[in-house]
Amino acid sequence: MSKDKTYIIGNWKMNKNIHDSSMLVHKLASTIKVRRDVEVVLAPVTLALQAISLQINRRQFKLAAQNFYWRDEGAFTGEVSAYQLKGLVEYAIVGHSERRHIFGEIDKDIRSKVQAALRNDIKPILCVGETASERANNETKDVLADQILGGLANVASNEIKNVVIAYEPVWAIGTGNFASPEDAVAAARIIRSQIRHLYGEEISHKVPVLYGGSVSTDNASAYLNCIELDGLLIGGASLDSHQFSEIVKKAHNAGKKVDSK
Ligand code: PGA
């Protein structure tokens, strides 16, 4: 794990129109300090990306796309490509459980998206995580290993440094039932061991592994204090400027504690 940088990523999902998104950015800009050790990434609705990109200080905030199609151009009505997002966003969320479960994306789609992001200089944030029934059947390890392998197949070792992984147990997303820090750390270890298997020891320590699923101001520090976790992917709490700013502040404080260890 790197810990020289902590990632705090806000996934706004299909919430807020362009005006409301811009208002939220305005509030965040006045409360969040620019800090070298914390990478604050905002993922507003695709429609708002252009307006927000003109509004933000890129040292304070980076932008992420929530989704895109893996082909660069062509007859794909209604889709937006990584090629079209290039220059507008630094990151893109790929394989979020809502994409997998509501929109039926499978590992092959996710793999193609990871590659499309990388070829367009966008860092994919690859989300992996087990469902409640997979967890009940003790399948977490196999599910994570399969999703990592499925998402990263064809990613070369010189590209993997541009990938971020988020452990997002499906049962924890938007439910208030967050994973315990111990479970999140156990999952991060499984993810890292799979990366070690694919790319070797050294690289396995460099790929950031985040936790996501019902993160709030109350539980954020518990994850941020875990050396195995490099940050948080936040849904609901990222829509509230006070909560999100507070979590960014906690990330900075947790980073200072790790430094002095
Ligand atoms: P949540 O969403 O924080 O609302 O649980 C997390 C996510 O979907 O990334």
Side-chain angles (χ1 to χ4, degrees):
M1 59 246 80
S2 44
K3 271 296 178 188
D4 34 307
K5 206 185 256 184
T6 300
Y7 296 79
I8 302 294
I9 303 176
N11 175 10
W12 297 358
K13 308 193 180 182
M14 201 177 73
N15 293 295
K16 302 194 181 289
N17 60 17
I18 299 176
H19 176 261
D20 296 343
S21 300
S22 177
M23 292 296 286
L24 179 53
V25 169
H26 182 71
K27 284 191 201 152
L28 294 173
S30 66
T31 51
I32 291 178
K33 294 207 180 81
V34 176
R35 287 162 170 147
R36 243 179 339 118
D37 61 334
V38 184
E39 178 100 325
V40 183
V41 183
L42 307 176
V45 65
T46 308
L47 261 184
L49 282 170
Q50 177 76 32
I52 292 178
S53 79
L54 299 172
Q55 190 183 350
I56 55 168
N57 167 356
R58 293 240 172 178
R59 285 175 54 239
Q60 188 175 27
F61 300 115
K62 303 283 190 287
L63 292 180
Q66 293 178 19
N67 182 42
F68 59 90
Y69 187 53
W70 61 272
R71 299 265 199 193
D72 283 347
E73 281 182 307
F76 304 103
T77 301
E79 294 295 321
V80 171
S81 71
Y83 168 72
Q84 292 163 326
L85 290 164
K86 185 175 178 167
L88 197 55
V89 298
E90 281 84 356
Y91 295 89
I93 300 171
V94 177
H96 189 279
S97 74
E98 286 149 21
R99 301 293 323 169
R100 292 181 194 259
H101 298 287
I102 303 174
F103 298 99
E105 286 186 16
I106 57 171
D107 278 340
K108 185 172 163 294
D109 305 307
I110 291 160
R111 168 155 73 239
S112 301
K113 289 184 175 197
V114 167
Q115 287 171 264
L118 291 170
R119 86 172 162 264
N120 287 292
D121 300 324
I122 295 170
K123 296 177 179 153
I125 302 162
L126 174 63
C127 301
V128 296
E130 80 286 2
T131 62
S133 69
E134 288 163 343
R135 177 177 160 85
N137 292 331
N138 277 328
E139 290 168 355
T140 301
K141 190 171 175 192
D142 291 342
V143 169
L144 294 180
D146 284 354
Q147 289 179 345
I148 292 287
L149 191 62
L152 298 182
N154 307 333
V155 173
S157 45
N158 64 340
E159 295 174 312
I160 186 72
K161 62 175 188 310
N162 292 321
V163 175
V164 175
I165 312 276
Y167 170 58
E168 294 221 311
V170 180
W171 49 269
I173 294 176
T175 58
N177 296 326
F178 48 90
S180 68
E182 294 74 25
D183 282 352
V185 165
R189 290 201 176 124
I190 294 168
I191 290 166
R192 248 180 245 292
S193 85
Q194 186 68 348
I195 294 174
R196 186 180 313 121
H197 172 70
L198 296 170
Y199 300 99
E201 180 77 28
E202 200 186 327
I203 290 178
S204 75
H205 294 290
K206 293 199 175 134
V207 175
V209 180
L210 321 183
Y211 169 73
S214 296
V215 172
S216 67
T217 45
D218 294 337
N219 62 23
S221 293
Y223 304 108
L224 292 167
N225 289 328
C226 298
I227 189 86
E228 288 87 352
L229 299 170
D230 299 288
L232 299 167
L233 178 49
I234 305 163
S238 72
L239 295 168
D240 180 284
S241 65
H242 297 291
Q243 287 193 54
F244 192 68
S245 305
E246 195 54 36
I247 295 172
V248 173
K249 207 191 283 170
K250 287 176 193 288
H252 177 61
N253 293 340
K256 278 197 291 201
K257 264 188 259 164
V258 170
D259 281 351
S260 61
K261 268 186 194 162

